[in-house]
Amino acid sequence: NSFLFEKLENLQNLILAYNSLIYLPKTIFQNLSHLIQIDLSSNQIQSLESSIFDNLSNLNYLYLSKNRLNRVY
């Protein structure tokens, strides 16, 4: 849901590790342009659309280890 973080537009660090996430909608980060770090490690994510990070020009750290990632498209 793209409205999940709607009121958090100044958020800089988002840690979603160890949440058993399987899927991330491509608009999940669209209102979070101030993000510097995203930790999605230790989930069950299998694929990601590369456009999911398009609006994140300040992103410096992206942690994806320990997922089932086999495709970025």
Side-chain angles (χ1 to χ4, degrees):
N1 188 325
S2 61
F3 302 107
L4 185 62
F5 302 114
E6 184 178 24
K7 303 286 185 190
L8 301 172
E9 62 271 351
N10 292 318
L11 188 69
Q12 293 185 345
N13 297 297
L14 180 61
I15 301 171
L16 295 173
Y18 297 96
N19 278 289
S20 300
L21 299 174
I22 296 169
Y23 169 78
L24 295 174
K26 66 180 179 180
T27 57
I28 193 166
F29 304 127
Q30 76 179 14
N31 296 321
L32 301 177
S33 61
H34 292 93
L35 274 178
I36 295 170
Q37 172 182 300
I38 301 173
D39 186 349
L40 296 168
S41 63
S42 299
N43 281 292
Q44 304 294 318
I45 301 168
Q46 295 181 10
S47 64
L48 284 173
E49 288 190 45
S50 60
S51 62
I52 197 170
F53 307 112
D54 281 354
N55 191 40
L56 305 178
S57 59
N58 294 310
L59 188 65
N60 288 320
Y61 303 99
L62 175 62
Y63 301 99
L64 292 169
S65 65
K66 297 184 181 175
N67 274 286
R68 297 179 177 193
L69 199 59
N70 58 31
R71 189 172 117 181
V72 178
Y73 58 99

